[in-house]
Amino acid sequence: MRHSHPRQRLWRLSIVLSVLLLAGCARHRQSTLHASGAGAQRIEGLWWLLFWISMAVFAEVMLILGWALWRRRRATATIKGGDAIGAITVLGVAVPFVILVAAYGLGLRDLNALAAPREKPDVTVEVIGHQWWWEIHYPDRAGAVTANEMHIPVGQPVKVRLRTADVQHSFWVPQLMPKTDLIAGKVNETWLQTDRAGTYRAQCAEYCGKQHAFMALMVVAEPRPAFDAWVAATAQPATGTLTTAQQRGRQIFEQSSCASCHTIRGTSAVGEVGPDLTTIGSRWSIGAGAAPNDAGHLGGWIVNSQTIKPGNAMPPQPVAAQDLPDLLSYLQSLK
Ligand code: CUA
């Protein structure tokens, strides 16, 4: 077996890591520099303005430094005191003053624009932060409850009401809007607007405990008719036709400890500790971004979610091996 030099191995490792990092960027960009929403576009504009100002100041300082070194080497003449004071007044006081006042003024303009959308929002979404997941309600449509996933219509401002069930969290959709905190005992408000249909990954942006990193949320922006249809479908109780195996799965769910923590609307499961599972089969992930939503991960999650997301509130479930396939089949049918 050939052994590679440690430095070579380090190089290979760094290439693999960079590819992995870039691959992460391709899907669900969580970047304020790829703004797709009215609020994020302002933030991005301000970011680039400050970036280019910094670049200009850096270039200016480097030029002056170069010039000073060049002069010193040639030692043609010493600088007169009057010249130095003049240069300090212009470059060290007047220019920074103008730049800072202009940047502050533009910041205030953007802050004002971010405070409220131009049109009055027609859709309201209520977001409740939990350690570590997001509860989503559509208060205008009774029963429309889901978790870790929010749909919004394209081309319209959406009001987002934020509160927390436990500790401080922060709601952040980098491509759509800046952060807004969820503060205990308070209802905060923000808004979202995008003209581009698509999915936007959101992330809790306030450290809230062990699984803060796995407190993600997917914002799905879609044309108004599709949005209306989604809200109407989400508000429906689980009344789909079930196969015999799925009916068994439902019985297992209702008779086990699952039902004491989770609700599946239209069944006898009305627990309120964990997320509402009425549409679990259609969600983008399980555990707020902790694992993909497929039979394997869902099974692993039910049996012992602590191995996937240590510290989360769900204890391991003693589900008999012969019961698990029917339970999974039932949960996956809930859309
Ligand atoms: Cu919730 Cu960090």
Side-chain angles (χ1 to χ4, degrees):
M1 202 181 124
R2 265 177 45 217
H3 286 275
S4 50
H5 193 270
R7 189 175 282 178
Q8 250 180 343
R9 261 179 279 164
L10 202 66
W11 261 108
R12 273 185 221 150
L13 184 70
S14 64
I15 290 169
V16 169
L17 284 176
S18 322
V19 169
L20 283 175
L21 273 176
L22 287 173
C25 299
R27 252 182 108 232
H28 306 309
R29 276 187 203 147
Q30 230 179 210
S31 166
T32 44
L33 299 181
H34 290 104
S36 287
Q41 270 150 9
R42 282 199 173 263
I43 304 284
E44 188 179 354
L46 201 58
W47 191 91
W48 281 112
L49 178 77
L50 294 176
F51 175 79
W52 287 118
I53 290 175
S54 313
M55 283 296 115
V57 170
F58 178 72
E60 184 213 332
V61 170
M62 286 301 119
L63 273 175
I64 293 172
L65 183 68
W67 176 74
L69 289 174
W70 177 76
R71 248 185 91 122
R72 188 156 173 261
R73 187 171 291 180
R74 293 212 348 184
T76 45
T78 46
I79 301 172
K80 287 187 207 118
D83 285 354
I85 289 172
I88 290 168
T89 315
V90 174
L91 296 175
V93 180
V95 173
F97 180 79
V98 171
I99 291 173
L100 289 177
V101 168
Y104 182 65
L106 289 168
L108 283 183
R109 178 203 66 180
D110 287 341
L111 210 57
N112 187 42
L114 288 171
R118 286 211 194 110
E119 304 160 51
K120 204 172 155 282
D122 178 36
V123 173
T124 301
V125 189
E126 207 167 280
V127 176
I128 304 160
H130 295 261
Q131 276 174 316
W132 296 276
W133 59 283
W134 305 91
E135 184 179 341
I136 309 293
H137 289 255
Y138 287 78
D140 304 327
R141 183 86 190 210
V145 182
T146 183
N148 308 321
E149 190 167 308
M150 172 197 289
H151 287 230
I152 60 169
V154 161
Q156 292 173 358
V158 173
K159 187 200 278 186
V160 182
R161 273 213 305 257
L162 302 160
R163 59 194 170 86
T164 171
D166 38 54
V167 300
Q168 251 66 329
H169 304 273
S170 188
F171 176 79
W172 186 30
V173 199
Q175 282 180 273
L176 301 184
M177 248 338 243
K179 300 164 192 172
T180 309
D181 284 354
L182 285 72
I183 296 166
K186 194 177 153 137
V187 179
N188 250 349
E189 272 187 13
T190 185
W191 56 281
L192 298 174
Q193 181 162 9
T194 179
D195 292 330
R196 221 175 292 165
T199 52
Y200 302 97
R201 198 177 189 276
Q203 172 65 40
C204 178
E206 173 79 36
Y207 181 71
C208 54
K210 196 172 183 178
Q211 294 294 346
H212 157 69
F214 284 125
M215 190 165 164
L217 173 118
M218 197 59 82
V219 177
V220 181
E222 54 197 355
R224 186 71 201 234
F227 165 77
D228 287 337
W230 178 84
V231 176
T234 303
Q236 290 297 314
T239 49
T241 332
L242 303 177
T243 64
T244 317
Q246 288 165 352
Q247 281 172 10
R248 242 195 105 234
R250 175 175 156 168
Q251 267 175 16
I252 295 162
F253 190 95
E254 289 178 312
Q255 287 159 11
S256 70
S257 50
C258 307
S260 51
C261 287
H262 294 280
T263 290
I264 294 178
R265 281 171 277 123
T267 73
S268 63
V270 291
E272 286 186 342
V273 180
D276 181 303
L277 298 180
T278 313
T279 56
I280 177 70
S282 66
R283 291 181 198 159
W284 69 285
S285 84
I286 47 177
N293 188 4
D294 54 40
H297 286 93
L298 191 56
W301 181 273
I302 294 168
V303 174
N304 189 356
S305 67
Q306 299 302 322
T307 59
I308 302 175
K309 192 173 175 179
N312 89 82
M314 182 163 152
Q317 296 304 306
V319 180
Q322 70 270 23
D323 289 344
L324 196 59
D326 292 347
L327 180 59
L328 287 174
S329 172
Y330 170 59
L331 290 172
Q332 290 198 301
S333 77
L334 298 171
K335 291 189 172 163

